[in-house]
Amino acid sequence: MERLAPAGAGAAPSRLLPGAASASARSAVSGDRLFRALLRAVGLGFVLVMLAMIAALAIAAWPAIRQFGWGFVVESNWDPVQESFGALPFIYGTLLSSILALLIAVPLGLGAAIYLAELAPAWIRPPVGFLIELLAAVPSVVYGLWGIFVLAPLLRSWVQPFLGATLGWLPLFQGPPYGVGMLAAGIILAIMVVPFIATVSRDVLLAVPSQQREAALALGATGWETTRVAVLRYGRSGLIGAILLGLGRALGETMAVTMVIGNRPEIAASLFAPGYTMASVIANEFTEATSDLYLAALIEVALLLLVITVVVNALARLLVWSVGGPVKTVRE
Amino acid sequence: MADGIRVLSLSAWFGSQRVLRNVFVNIAPNEVTAIIGPSGCGKSTFIRCLNRMHEVVPGARADGRVLLNGEDVYAPGTDPVTIRRRIGMVFQKPNPFPTMSVFDNVAAGLRLAGVRNRAALHEAVERALGQAALWDEVKDSLGKSGASLSGGQQQRLCIARALAVGPEVLLMDEPSSALDPIATAKIEELILELKKDLMVVIVTHNMQQAARVADATGFFLLGELVEFARTREIFTSPRDKRTEDYITGRFG
Amino acid sequence: MTNLGRRRLIDRLMRRLAALAAGLVVLPLVVIFGFLLYQGGTAVNLDFFTQLPKPVGEPGGGMVNAIVGSLVLLGLAGLLGLPAGILAGLYLAESRDRRLTWLVRFLADVLNGVPSIVIGIFAYTVVVLPMRGFSALAGGIALAIIMIPVVLRTTEEMVRLVPASLREAALALGIPEWKVILRVVVPTARAGMVTGAMVAIARIAGETAPLLFTAFGNRFWHQGLDEPIAALPLQIFAYAIAPYDDWHRQAWAGALVLIALVFLVSLVARFATRRPGGA
């Protein structure tokens, strides 16, 4: 935006009034320049922080990277005593718990978003939207507390015996019902990411121009058909972005998962079995890591987690922006 | 059966604000009817009431009777979905579905109605695009995105989309206000062609356009239908002083 | 037309399903809140707010050090994160350098999605290691990094909402641009920026993971900003995974206090300003 400055005003940029700059105009101009430089420095500093983060982690993880190479991500032994570290069980646990969470959270989150943006009566939208936003504000550790004392016992005494009795022929639902384990982690993660998926998707749907809805309605589409034909198709990429944002949250979620997943570095087929995630192993073992190599290995796990989530989030943002544009985006 | 649209005591509101007052009018079949008036006079609201699109806006409601070939559009139990299939609509800004191809845009209404037969779809799409005078321009690019066409083509695509389901009436809400003069001329030619098959009600802020295309013209002011007559009468010998003032450019 | 009948049926079915989904999304809030009130409500008492934790095995005691510790950490994070976030937000809203602003905005949103535990590790490598010890300062820095992108984006949005006419009117009076921004634009956007700050504080108030190896936790009063400090979320975590019933009760009490704090701040954020367009 080009701003107009009246001729002779003290604020006139010096390039417009080369010789006429009075003393006060000069100080105003240099004040402007200083202010702009300051803002720019902050902006640049922000970019630097991002780079510094990756660099700092890479440097601190270097001993482990050098020692184990690619073996770090494909080996499944994690033995601090022998100083042999393979992070595969954590990568597996992180991916499996997140996928499980998305399986539950995506239909619910999209359904809620469609309801709030398209199908609900107008008076219902603000209070329900507010409740969902509150849900997003509940701290992770509180979910974890609830998971340990309410969800896990519920799974142990009711849900898992039932699943074992009905679907026990599937390897997914075999083994003793501990309560804590992969299933508990997936459910708690689903509860935690669903508000994000719902609110971001709702905002994506609201960004779809109303002319699109009118076009479908005027063709004689019902409410749901309008949503399906005009709104969901138009907002498709943004909705995928919203799901990826949820995935990013699930991948990096730490406390609640640590509290309910069972923390055992094993790769098990059953959802009843305990597991471990990248974030949980850092949370549990970081302060106990006695040797430098152990610490470096944990930092390498953090670096991996950083890279994965940065890629997922970058993709998610580009997709969400493709619908509504970057400036009016969503608050988390 | 074709006795057009009879509007009896139609009023409309946005919240508590009344935007249409007690409109009575008979719109003849197989004619083009233009609705003119200064902006904010209720002319768009009026045609959006005819196919029950007015009530789509939150807080908006309408009261009165609109008889489409004798059947009350607002009768209790009447589904707006069936009404809108019988009364097509074209909007001010062209709004093709950008994620659909040209073909899919035109076929959208039929597919919603459950038509799956490919040959039938093809035939209907070709006929609708022909009616909208767009077939020759797009017949080789039916698979391209609807959003890739020019503005005028997009508007004719929207007309074809509305025509494909075989409506009895076509409502046009300032269909050429976003278009250049050449595209506007094409739309106007098209309207004159279309009236052979169906009735057209067009809202326009352009009095010359009304004079060029319409058989009958209604003049709205502040939510009231001030005068409704043959177009020639409206423009040459209006009965109401307010119509005359508007026609001669004394306000609005 | 039976076809239309089927379409109406599907329409009604999908409306019900969508409403059901919304209900299921909200349900955990009701359930969790119910448990918090039930379990935490019976455990919160005056001691909780006034006493230090008792040694292992002794019942009673409170979390006063953790409550104060959390406030200290929030204060530190706000002191560091708010100015940085607000300045960067102003930069985004006011700069004409399209490419750099795009990058900063993009990175802010990406940083917003970086797991907080990774930010904790970052703070560990750049603060704890050089300082040779866990400290309140390290925790404050970790939390500040988490809040910056939130503050930045809200500030930008709010500054953009200030009408250009207002800005141009001030510029036309001959006031230098930086003064216009600080004296006209920022005050106009202030209410919105306060909201952004509140949203950010609500977000970090419950953060636990980044504090595990920065602030570390402390069973006693902290002895300075260069020493480990207790925090409410850390204490809840430690008590929840410990095998003592009395600690579990205190963990519920802590969770209730924490969530009351978070919701209170969120409510203030929501009603401090009426935003144009709702949201």
Side-chain angles (χ1 to χ4, degrees), chain A residues 317 320-331, chain C residues 89 92-93 98 101-102 105-106 109 152-161:
Chain A
R317 277 303 164 191
V320 170
W321 286 3
S322 74
V323 176
V327 172
K328 202 205 162 303
T329 41
V330 190
R331 231 169 330 285
Chain C
L92 286 192
R98 286 277 171 84
T101 53
W102 189 92
R105 193 177 291 130
F106 183 66
D109 280 358
L152 178 157
R153 294 295 263 136
T154 359
T155 302
E156 184 200 356
E157 225 175 276
M158 291 306 146
V159 170
R160 277 182 190 281
L161 287 179

PDB file of all heavy atoms in Angstrom, chain A residues 317 320-331, chain C residues 89 92-93 98 101-102 105-106 109 152-161:
ATOM      1  N   ARG A 317      -0.196 -26.015   6.632  1.00  0.00           N
ATOM      2  CA  ARG A 317      -0.427 -24.583   6.523  1.00  0.00           C
ATOM      3  C   ARG A 317      -0.672 -24.171   5.080  1.00  0.00           C
ATOM      4  O   ARG A 317      -1.566 -23.395   4.778  1.00  0.00           O
ATOM      5  CB  ARG A 317       0.771 -23.803   7.063  1.00  0.00           C
ATOM      6  CG  ARG A 317       0.744 -23.651   8.542  1.00  0.00           C
ATOM      7  CD  ARG A 317      -0.531 -22.965   8.979  1.00  0.00           C
ATOM      8  NE  ARG A 317      -0.697 -23.176  10.403  1.00  0.00           N
ATOM      9  CZ  ARG A 317      -1.808 -22.890  11.070  1.00  0.00           C
ATOM     10  NH1 ARG A 317      -2.858 -22.417  10.420  1.00  0.00           N
ATOM     11  NH2 ARG A 317      -1.888 -23.100  12.348  1.00  0.00           N
ATOM     12  N   VAL A 320      -4.158 -25.212   4.193  1.00  0.00           N
ATOM     13  CA  VAL A 320      -5.205 -24.402   4.826  1.00  0.00           C
ATOM     14  C   VAL A 320      -5.233 -23.009   4.202  1.00  0.00           C
ATOM     15  O   VAL A 320      -6.296 -22.459   3.922  1.00  0.00           O
ATOM     16  CB  VAL A 320      -4.989 -24.316   6.349  1.00  0.00           C
ATOM     17  CG1 VAL A 320      -5.926 -23.296   6.971  1.00  0.00           C
ATOM     18  CG2 VAL A 320      -5.226 -25.670   6.989  1.00  0.00           C
ATOM     19  N   TRP A 321      -4.062 -22.425   3.949  1.00  0.00           N
ATOM     20  CA  TRP A 321      -4.004 -21.103   3.351  1.00  0.00           C
ATOM     21  C   TRP A 321      -4.595 -21.093   1.950  1.00  0.00           C
ATOM     22  O   TRP A 321      -5.047 -20.079   1.456  1.00  0.00           O
ATOM     23  CB  TRP A 321      -2.556 -20.618   3.276  1.00  0.00           C
ATOM     24  CG  TRP A 321      -1.993 -20.211   4.599  1.00  0.00           C
ATOM     25  CD1 TRP A 321      -2.630 -20.300   5.801  1.00  0.00           C
ATOM     26  CD2 TRP A 321      -0.711 -19.660   4.860  1.00  0.00           C
ATOM     27  NE1 TRP A 321      -1.813 -19.843   6.789  1.00  0.00           N
ATOM     28  CE2 TRP A 321      -0.630 -19.445   6.256  1.00  0.00           C
ATOM     29  CE3 TRP A 321       0.376 -19.321   4.053  1.00  0.00           C
ATOM     30  CZ2 TRP A 321       0.509 -18.905   6.841  1.00  0.00           C
ATOM     31  CZ3 TRP A 321       1.502 -18.799   4.654  1.00  0.00           C
ATOM     32  CH2 TRP A 321       1.570 -18.590   6.034  1.00  0.00           C
ATOM     33  N   SER A 322      -4.556 -22.240   1.270  1.00  0.00           N
ATOM     34  CA  SER A 322      -5.030 -22.262  -0.109  1.00  0.00           C
ATOM     35  C   SER A 322      -6.525 -21.984  -0.175  1.00  0.00           C
ATOM     36  O   SER A 322      -7.036 -21.599  -1.207  1.00  0.00           O
ATOM     37  CB  SER A 322      -4.711 -23.608  -0.757  1.00  0.00           C
ATOM     38  OG  SER A 322      -5.574 -24.609  -0.249  1.00  0.00           O
ATOM     39  N   VAL A 323      -7.238 -22.136   0.918  1.00  0.00           N
ATOM     40  CA  VAL A 323      -8.672 -21.844   0.897  1.00  0.00           C
ATOM     41  C   VAL A 323      -8.967 -20.421   1.360  1.00  0.00           C
ATOM     42  O   VAL A 323      -9.568 -19.633   0.653  1.00  0.00           O
ATOM     43  CB  VAL A 323      -9.466 -22.847   1.758  1.00  0.00           C
ATOM     44  CG1 VAL A 323     -10.935 -22.460   1.790  1.00  0.00           C
ATOM     45  CG2 VAL A 323      -9.316 -24.233   1.187  1.00  0.00           C
ATOM     46  N   GLY A 324      -8.520 -20.080   2.553  1.00  0.00           N
ATOM     47  CA  GLY A 324      -8.914 -18.786   3.104  1.00  0.00           C
ATOM     48  C   GLY A 324      -7.866 -17.700   2.947  1.00  0.00           C
ATOM     49  O   GLY A 324      -8.146 -16.543   3.189  1.00  0.00           O
ATOM     50  N   GLY A 325      -6.656 -18.030   2.532  1.00  0.00           N
ATOM     51  CA  GLY A 325      -5.578 -17.051   2.479  1.00  0.00           C
ATOM     52  C   GLY A 325      -4.886 -17.002   3.826  1.00  0.00           C
ATOM     53  O   GLY A 325      -5.461 -17.380   4.837  1.00  0.00           O
ATOM     54  N   PRO A 326      -3.609 -16.542   3.848  1.00  0.00           N
ATOM     55  CA  PRO A 326      -2.821 -16.651   5.060  1.00  0.00           C
ATOM     56  C   PRO A 326      -3.234 -15.673   6.143  1.00  0.00           C
ATOM     57  O   PRO A 326      -3.024 -15.932   7.320  1.00  0.00           O
ATOM     58  CB  PRO A 326      -1.401 -16.359   4.585  1.00  0.00           C
ATOM     59  CG  PRO A 326      -1.562 -15.561   3.359  1.00  0.00           C
ATOM     60  CD  PRO A 326      -2.850 -15.978   2.737  1.00  0.00           C
ATOM     61  N   VAL A 327      -3.798 -14.532   5.781  1.00  0.00           N
ATOM     62  CA  VAL A 327      -3.882 -13.484   6.787  1.00  0.00           C
ATOM     63  C   VAL A 327      -4.984 -13.745   7.795  1.00  0.00           C
ATOM     64  O   VAL A 327      -4.779 -13.672   8.991  1.00  0.00           O
ATOM     65  CB  VAL A 327      -4.053 -12.114   6.126  1.00  0.00           C
ATOM     66  CG1 VAL A 327      -4.343 -11.063   7.177  1.00  0.00           C
ATOM     67  CG2 VAL A 327      -2.762 -11.773   5.397  1.00  0.00           C
ATOM     68  N   LYS A 328      -6.159 -14.132   7.296  1.00  0.00           N
ATOM     69  CA  LYS A 328      -7.188 -14.426   8.286  1.00  0.00           C
ATOM     70  C   LYS A 328      -7.189 -15.922   8.549  1.00  0.00           C
ATOM     71  O   LYS A 328      -7.974 -16.661   7.993  1.00  0.00           O
ATOM     72  CB  LYS A 328      -8.560 -13.977   7.807  1.00  0.00           C
ATOM     73  CG  LYS A 328      -9.474 -13.789   9.005  1.00  0.00           C
ATOM     74  CD  LYS A 328     -10.908 -13.930   8.712  1.00  0.00           C
ATOM     75  CE  LYS A 328     -11.698 -14.175   9.978  1.00  0.00           C
ATOM     76  NZ  LYS A 328     -11.242 -15.339  10.708  1.00  0.00           N
ATOM     77  N   THR A 329      -6.274 -16.371   9.359  1.00  0.00           N
ATOM     78  CA  THR A 329      -6.253 -17.797   9.668  1.00  0.00           C
ATOM     79  C   THR A 329      -6.753 -18.020  11.071  1.00  0.00           C
ATOM     80  O   THR A 329      -7.324 -17.155  11.702  1.00  0.00           O
ATOM     81  CB  THR A 329      -4.856 -18.402   9.549  1.00  0.00           C
ATOM     82  OG1 THR A 329      -3.955 -17.475  10.092  1.00  0.00           O
ATOM     83  CG2 THR A 329      -4.511 -18.748   8.133  1.00  0.00           C
ATOM     84  N   VAL A 330      -6.418 -19.180  11.532  1.00  0.00           N
ATOM     85  CA  VAL A 330      -7.103 -19.710  12.686  1.00  0.00           C
ATOM     86  C   VAL A 330      -6.268 -19.505  13.926  1.00  0.00           C
ATOM     87  O   VAL A 330      -5.057 -19.574  13.880  1.00  0.00           O
ATOM     88  CB  VAL A 330      -7.274 -21.205  12.426  1.00  0.00           C
ATOM     89  CG1 VAL A 330      -8.170 -21.797  13.443  1.00  0.00           C
ATOM     90  CG2 VAL A 330      -7.800 -21.413  11.033  1.00  0.00           C
ATOM     91  N   ARG A 331      -6.924 -19.262  15.014  1.00  0.00           N
ATOM     92  CA  ARG A 331      -6.229 -19.178  16.286  1.00  0.00           C
ATOM     93  C   ARG A 331      -6.205 -20.539  16.960  1.00  0.00           C
ATOM     94  O   ARG A 331      -7.199 -21.234  16.957  1.00  0.00           O
ATOM     95  CB  ARG A 331      -6.986 -18.222  17.189  1.00  0.00           C
ATOM     96  CG  ARG A 331      -6.159 -17.176  17.802  1.00  0.00           C
ATOM     97  CD  ARG A 331      -7.053 -16.141  18.448  1.00  0.00           C
ATOM     98  NE  ARG A 331      -8.327 -16.024  17.769  1.00  0.00           N
ATOM     99  CZ  ARG A 331      -8.495 -15.419  16.620  1.00  0.00           C
ATOM    100  NH1 ARG A 331      -7.493 -14.876  16.019  1.00  0.00           N
ATOM    101  NH2 ARG A 331      -9.685 -15.342  16.071  1.00  0.00           N
TER     102      ARG A 331
ATOM    103  N   GLY C  89       4.725  -9.227  15.232  1.00  0.00           N
ATOM    104  CA  GLY C  89       3.390  -9.072  14.656  1.00  0.00           C
ATOM    105  C   GLY C  89       3.243  -7.736  13.960  1.00  0.00           C
ATOM    106  O   GLY C  89       2.695  -7.639  12.865  1.00  0.00           O
ATOM    107  N   LEU C  92       4.930  -7.919  10.685  1.00  0.00           N
ATOM    108  CA  LEU C  92       4.135  -8.590   9.652  1.00  0.00           C
ATOM    109  C   LEU C  92       3.054  -7.669   9.099  1.00  0.00           C
ATOM    110  O   LEU C  92       2.773  -7.662   7.910  1.00  0.00           O
ATOM    111  CB  LEU C  92       3.465  -9.842  10.223  1.00  0.00           C
ATOM    112  CG  LEU C  92       4.342 -11.040  10.468  1.00  0.00           C
ATOM    113  CD1 LEU C  92       3.499 -12.265  10.736  1.00  0.00           C
ATOM    114  CD2 LEU C  92       5.235 -11.296   9.268  1.00  0.00           C
ATOM    115  N   ALA C  93       2.425  -6.895   9.997  1.00  0.00           N
ATOM    116  CA  ALA C  93       1.308  -6.074   9.552  1.00  0.00           C
ATOM    117  C   ALA C  93       1.779  -4.834   8.803  1.00  0.00           C
ATOM    118  O   ALA C  93       1.077  -4.337   7.928  1.00  0.00           O
ATOM    119  CB  ALA C  93       0.453  -5.671  10.750  1.00  0.00           C
ATOM    120  N   ARG C  98       7.153  -8.272   0.965  1.00  0.00           N
ATOM    121  CA  ARG C  98       6.205  -9.389   0.875  1.00  0.00           C
ATOM    122  C   ARG C  98       6.840 -10.751   1.164  1.00  0.00           C
ATOM    123  O   ARG C  98       6.262 -11.578   1.850  1.00  0.00           O
ATOM    124  CB  ARG C  98       5.596  -9.445  -0.540  1.00  0.00           C
ATOM    125  CG  ARG C  98       4.595  -8.366  -0.789  1.00  0.00           C
ATOM    126  CD  ARG C  98       3.233  -8.760  -0.245  1.00  0.00           C
ATOM    127  NE  ARG C  98       2.302  -7.649  -0.295  1.00  0.00           N
ATOM    128  CZ  ARG C  98       1.606  -7.343  -1.380  1.00  0.00           C
ATOM    129  NH1 ARG C  98       1.745  -8.046  -2.473  1.00  0.00           N
ATOM    130  NH2 ARG C  98       0.785  -6.309  -1.379  1.00  0.00           N
ATOM    131  N   THR C 101       7.935 -11.267   4.895  1.00  0.00           N
ATOM    132  CA  THR C 101       6.771 -11.394   5.778  1.00  0.00           C
ATOM    133  C   THR C 101       6.090 -12.736   5.563  1.00  0.00           C
ATOM    134  O   THR C 101       5.628 -13.362   6.507  1.00  0.00           O
ATOM    135  CB  THR C 101       5.734 -10.277   5.563  1.00  0.00           C
ATOM    136  OG1 THR C 101       5.400 -10.236   4.186  1.00  0.00           O
ATOM    137  CG2 THR C 101       6.250  -8.948   6.025  1.00  0.00           C
ATOM    138  N   TRP C 102       6.028 -13.166   4.303  1.00  0.00           N
ATOM    139  CA  TRP C 102       5.416 -14.481   4.042  1.00  0.00           C
ATOM    140  C   TRP C 102       6.172 -15.566   4.801  1.00  0.00           C
ATOM    141  O   TRP C 102       5.579 -16.416   5.457  1.00  0.00           O
ATOM    142  CB  TRP C 102       5.439 -14.772   2.542  1.00  0.00           C
ATOM    143  CG  TRP C 102       4.641 -15.994   2.180  1.00  0.00           C
ATOM    144  CD1 TRP C 102       3.329 -16.032   1.816  1.00  0.00           C
ATOM    145  CD2 TRP C 102       5.102 -17.348   2.168  1.00  0.00           C
ATOM    146  NE1 TRP C 102       2.938 -17.315   1.586  1.00  0.00           N
ATOM    147  CE2 TRP C 102       3.996 -18.151   1.791  1.00  0.00           C
ATOM    148  CE3 TRP C 102       6.319 -17.972   2.443  1.00  0.00           C
ATOM    149  CZ2 TRP C 102       4.082 -19.540   1.679  1.00  0.00           C
ATOM    150  CZ3 TRP C 102       6.409 -19.352   2.342  1.00  0.00           C
ATOM    151  CH2 TRP C 102       5.303 -20.120   1.955  1.00  0.00           C
ATOM    152  N   ARG C 105       5.575 -15.327   8.596  1.00  0.00           N
ATOM    153  CA  ARG C 105       4.227 -15.782   8.919  1.00  0.00           C
ATOM    154  C   ARG C 105       4.161 -17.310   8.837  1.00  0.00           C
ATOM    155  O   ARG C 105       3.611 -17.980   9.710  1.00  0.00           O
ATOM    156  CB  ARG C 105       3.269 -15.166   7.906  1.00  0.00           C
ATOM    157  CG  ARG C 105       1.824 -15.284   8.270  1.00  0.00           C
ATOM    158  CD  ARG C 105       0.971 -14.580   7.235  1.00  0.00           C
ATOM    159  NE  ARG C 105       1.135 -13.139   7.273  1.00  0.00           N
ATOM    160  CZ  ARG C 105       1.376 -12.390   6.208  1.00  0.00           C
ATOM    161  NH1 ARG C 105       1.497 -12.939   5.028  1.00  0.00           N
ATOM    162  NH2 ARG C 105       1.504 -11.088   6.315  1.00  0.00           N
ATOM    163  N   PHE C 106       4.774 -17.823   7.792  1.00  0.00           N
ATOM    164  CA  PHE C 106       4.773 -19.269   7.581  1.00  0.00           C
ATOM    165  C   PHE C 106       5.527 -19.974   8.712  1.00  0.00           C
ATOM    166  O   PHE C 106       5.025 -20.933   9.309  1.00  0.00           O
ATOM    167  CB  PHE C 106       5.417 -19.556   6.224  1.00  0.00           C
ATOM    168  CG  PHE C 106       5.414 -21.005   5.842  1.00  0.00           C
ATOM    169  CD1 PHE C 106       4.220 -21.651   5.589  1.00  0.00           C
ATOM    170  CD2 PHE C 106       6.596 -21.698   5.724  1.00  0.00           C
ATOM    171  CE1 PHE C 106       4.206 -22.983   5.229  1.00  0.00           C
ATOM    172  CE2 PHE C 106       6.594 -23.027   5.367  1.00  0.00           C
ATOM    173  CZ  PHE C 106       5.404 -23.673   5.113  1.00  0.00           C
ATOM    174  N   ASP C 109       3.614 -20.086  11.944  1.00  0.00           N
ATOM    175  CA  ASP C 109       2.600 -21.135  12.007  1.00  0.00           C
ATOM    176  C   ASP C 109       3.245 -22.509  12.147  1.00  0.00           C
ATOM    177  O   ASP C 109       2.706 -23.387  12.817  1.00  0.00           O
ATOM    178  CB  ASP C 109       1.698 -21.085  10.765  1.00  0.00           C
ATOM    179  CG  ASP C 109       0.645 -20.005  10.919  1.00  0.00           C
ATOM    180  OD1 ASP C 109       0.625 -19.373  11.986  1.00  0.00           O
ATOM    181  OD2 ASP C 109      -0.145 -19.793   9.990  1.00  0.00           O
ATOM    182  N   LEU C 152       2.229 -13.237  18.033  1.00  0.00           N
ATOM    183  CA  LEU C 152       2.570 -12.639  16.748  1.00  0.00           C
ATOM    184  C   LEU C 152       1.369 -12.632  15.795  1.00  0.00           C
ATOM    185  O   LEU C 152       1.023 -11.610  15.210  1.00  0.00           O
ATOM    186  CB  LEU C 152       3.735 -13.453  16.178  1.00  0.00           C
ATOM    187  CG  LEU C 152       4.358 -13.172  14.834  1.00  0.00           C
ATOM    188  CD1 LEU C 152       5.750 -13.736  14.849  1.00  0.00           C
ATOM    189  CD2 LEU C 152       3.577 -13.837  13.754  1.00  0.00           C
ATOM    190  N   ARG C 153       0.721 -13.770  15.676  1.00  0.00           N
ATOM    191  CA  ARG C 153      -0.365 -13.857  14.700  1.00  0.00           C
ATOM    192  C   ARG C 153      -1.574 -13.043  15.137  1.00  0.00           C
ATOM    193  O   ARG C 153      -2.226 -12.417  14.319  1.00  0.00           O
ATOM    194  CB  ARG C 153      -0.758 -15.322  14.485  1.00  0.00           C
ATOM    195  CG  ARG C 153       0.327 -16.138  13.841  1.00  0.00           C
ATOM    196  CD  ARG C 153       0.603 -15.666  12.432  1.00  0.00           C
ATOM    197  NE  ARG C 153      -0.094 -16.472  11.449  1.00  0.00           N
ATOM    198  CZ  ARG C 153      -0.748 -15.982  10.417  1.00  0.00           C
ATOM    199  NH1 ARG C 153      -0.825 -14.686  10.240  1.00  0.00           N
ATOM    200  NH2 ARG C 153      -1.320 -16.773   9.567  1.00  0.00           N
ATOM    201  N   THR C 154      -1.890 -13.051  16.442  1.00  0.00           N
ATOM    202  CA  THR C 154      -3.042 -12.240  16.868  1.00  0.00           C
ATOM    203  C   THR C 154      -2.727 -10.765  16.705  1.00  0.00           C
ATOM    204  O   THR C 154      -3.591  -9.998  16.281  1.00  0.00           O
ATOM    205  CB  THR C 154      -3.426 -12.480  18.347  1.00  0.00           C
ATOM    206  OG1 THR C 154      -2.555 -13.454  18.884  1.00  0.00           O
ATOM    207  CG2 THR C 154      -4.832 -12.942  18.459  1.00  0.00           C
ATOM    208  N   THR C 155      -1.501 -10.371  17.073  1.00  0.00           N
ATOM    209  CA  THR C 155      -1.145  -8.961  16.914  1.00  0.00           C
ATOM    210  C   THR C 155      -1.295  -8.547  15.458  1.00  0.00           C
ATOM    211  O   THR C 155      -1.897  -7.520  15.151  1.00  0.00           O
ATOM    212  CB  THR C 155       0.313  -8.732  17.369  1.00  0.00           C
ATOM    213  OG1 THR C 155       0.448  -9.150  18.711  1.00  0.00           O
ATOM    214  CG2 THR C 155       0.684  -7.277  17.233  1.00  0.00           C
ATOM    215  N   GLU C 156      -0.765  -9.352  14.566  1.00  0.00           N
ATOM    216  CA  GLU C 156      -0.843  -9.000  13.156  1.00  0.00           C
ATOM    217  C   GLU C 156      -2.296  -8.815  12.720  1.00  0.00           C
ATOM    218  O   GLU C 156      -2.662  -7.828  12.093  1.00  0.00           O
ATOM    219  CB  GLU C 156      -0.198 -10.093  12.292  1.00  0.00           C
ATOM    220  CG  GLU C 156      -0.173  -9.693  10.829  1.00  0.00           C
ATOM    221  CD  GLU C 156      -0.016 -10.861   9.884  1.00  0.00           C
ATOM    222  OE1 GLU C 156       0.153 -11.996  10.348  1.00  0.00           O
ATOM    223  OE2 GLU C 156      -0.070 -10.630   8.670  1.00  0.00           O
ATOM    224  N   GLU C 157      -3.116  -9.793  13.109  1.00  0.00           N
ATOM    225  CA  GLU C 157      -4.515  -9.740  12.705  1.00  0.00           C
ATOM    226  C   GLU C 157      -5.192  -8.480  13.228  1.00  0.00           C
ATOM    227  O   GLU C 157      -5.933  -7.814  12.514  1.00  0.00           O
ATOM    228  CB  GLU C 157      -5.207 -10.970  13.279  1.00  0.00           C
ATOM    229  CG  GLU C 157      -6.109 -11.672  12.324  1.00  0.00           C
ATOM    230  CD  GLU C 157      -6.647 -12.940  12.970  1.00  0.00           C
ATOM    231  OE1 GLU C 157      -5.978 -13.980  12.942  1.00  0.00           O
ATOM    232  OE2 GLU C 157      -7.731 -12.832  13.543  1.00  0.00           O
ATOM    233  N   MET C 158      -4.918  -8.168  14.496  1.00  0.00           N
ATOM    234  CA  MET C 158      -5.576  -7.017  15.112  1.00  0.00           C
ATOM    235  C   MET C 158      -5.102  -5.713  14.482  1.00  0.00           C
ATOM    236  O   MET C 158      -5.877  -4.796  14.282  1.00  0.00           O
ATOM    237  CB  MET C 158      -5.284  -7.002  16.618  1.00  0.00           C
ATOM    238  CG  MET C 158      -5.958  -8.131  17.342  1.00  0.00           C
ATOM    239  SD  MET C 158      -7.724  -8.122  16.988  1.00  0.00           S
ATOM    240  CE  MET C 158      -8.071  -9.843  17.011  1.00  0.00           C
ATOM    241  N   VAL C 159      -3.795  -5.622  14.197  1.00  0.00           N
ATOM    242  CA  VAL C 159      -3.275  -4.396  13.599  1.00  0.00           C
ATOM    243  C   VAL C 159      -3.849  -4.220  12.199  1.00  0.00           C
ATOM    244  O   VAL C 159      -4.162  -3.112  11.768  1.00  0.00           O
ATOM    245  CB  VAL C 159      -1.733  -4.423  13.580  1.00  0.00           C
ATOM    246  CG1 VAL C 159      -1.179  -3.274  12.758  1.00  0.00           C
ATOM    247  CG2 VAL C 159      -1.200  -4.355  14.995  1.00  0.00           C
ATOM    248  N   ARG C 160      -4.046  -5.329  11.498  1.00  0.00           N
ATOM    249  CA  ARG C 160      -4.618  -5.227  10.162  1.00  0.00           C
ATOM    250  C   ARG C 160      -6.061  -4.741  10.177  1.00  0.00           C
ATOM    251  O   ARG C 160      -6.565  -4.238   9.181  1.00  0.00           O
ATOM    252  CB  ARG C 160      -4.568  -6.587   9.474  1.00  0.00           C
ATOM    253  CG  ARG C 160      -3.236  -6.854   8.847  1.00  0.00           C
ATOM    254  CD  ARG C 160      -3.239  -8.191   8.143  1.00  0.00           C
ATOM    255  NE  ARG C 160      -1.896  -8.523   7.752  1.00  0.00           N
ATOM    256  CZ  ARG C 160      -1.298  -8.022   6.687  1.00  0.00           C
ATOM    257  NH1 ARG C 160      -1.945  -7.199   5.918  1.00  0.00           N
ATOM    258  NH2 ARG C 160      -0.056  -8.344   6.408  1.00  0.00           N
ATOM    259  N   LEU C 161      -6.743  -4.972  11.307  1.00  0.00           N
ATOM    260  CA  LEU C 161      -8.144  -4.561  11.382  1.00  0.00           C
ATOM    261  C   LEU C 161      -8.292  -3.042  11.545  1.00  0.00           C
ATOM    262  O   LEU C 161      -9.361  -2.501  11.364  1.00  0.00           O
ATOM    263  CB  LEU C 161      -8.836  -5.259  12.556  1.00  0.00           C
ATOM    264  CG  LEU C 161      -9.122  -6.744  12.357  1.00  0.00           C
ATOM    265  CD1 LEU C 161      -9.786  -7.316  13.587  1.00  0.00           C
ATOM    266  CD2 LEU C 161     -10.002  -6.951  11.146  1.00  0.00           C
TER     267      LEU C 161
END
